[in-house]
Amino acid sequence: MPAEPLLTGTGADGALCPSRLVLEHVTSRWGVLVLIALLERGYRFSELRRRIGGVSEKMLTQTLQTLERDGFVDRDAKPVIPPRVDYSLTPLGEEAARRVEALARWTESRVPAVEEARARYDEGRG
């Protein structure tokens, strides 16, 4: 009997299945970094942008909106002048962030092995 497709693929209408979209949001370049940063504590937008580094205002806004829509991030806008918006993880977001953080830490620890594999591969292709 053949194995079931991983994360159920696409529906009859060609749309990606919900689990694939959620996985894409959680494991995107900026999604991973936002989740890991918010594990530390809540941040204001500008603080979070500095903490992550290298992310444009537009990309951070889009990432936060996506993660908020998916239920991972809480946006708390305070009615003060100047406006103050704080971002933090929801319980669902904390669960996802801990899993993503474990993968990120494993990745960091295995970079030397990956670099060795790349060198062997490149030598064999030369």
Side-chain angles (χ1 to χ4, degrees):
M1 177 180 260
E4 289 293 315
L6 195 58
L7 300 176
T8 66
T10 58
D13 62 356
L16 284 176
C17 78
S19 58
R20 283 192 183 188
L21 290 174
V22 172
L23 184 63
E24 182 179 316
H25 298 163
V26 170
T27 61
S28 71
R29 174 182 184 182
W30 302 117
V32 166
L33 297 175
V34 165
L35 290 171
I36 291 172
L38 290 176
L39 261 178
E40 299 168 356
R41 64 177 178 88
Y43 283 96
R44 293 177 71 177
F45 184 89
S46 57
E47 292 177 310
L48 185 58
R49 188 166 176 223
R50 281 191 303 274
R51 175 68 182 96
I52 291 171
V55 63
S56 70
E57 188 173 318
K58 179 182 177 183
M59 277 309 309
L60 182 56
T61 298
Q62 288 176 351
T63 301
L64 286 166
Q65 287 174 344
T66 298
L67 294 173
E68 181 185 4
R69 183 170 184 251
D70 288 346
F72 297 118
V73 169
D74 181 54
R75 180 182 185 272
D76 182 22
K78 297 191 176 25
V80 296
I81 297 181
R84 179 184 172 116
V85 180
D86 293 304
Y87 295 91
S88 60
L89 293 175
T90 64
L92 182 64
E94 186 173 338
E95 183 181 350
R98 293 207 181 282
R99 293 174 185 272
V100 168
E101 180 188 39
L103 179 59
R105 295 211 183 285
W106 175 86
T107 302
E108 283 181 330
S109 73
R110 301 307 290 158
V111 166
V114 171
E115 289 173 339
E116 289 174 20
R118 287 178 179 168
R120 283 192 308 275
Y121 178 86
D122 291 346
E123 287 172 12
R125 305 289 258 174

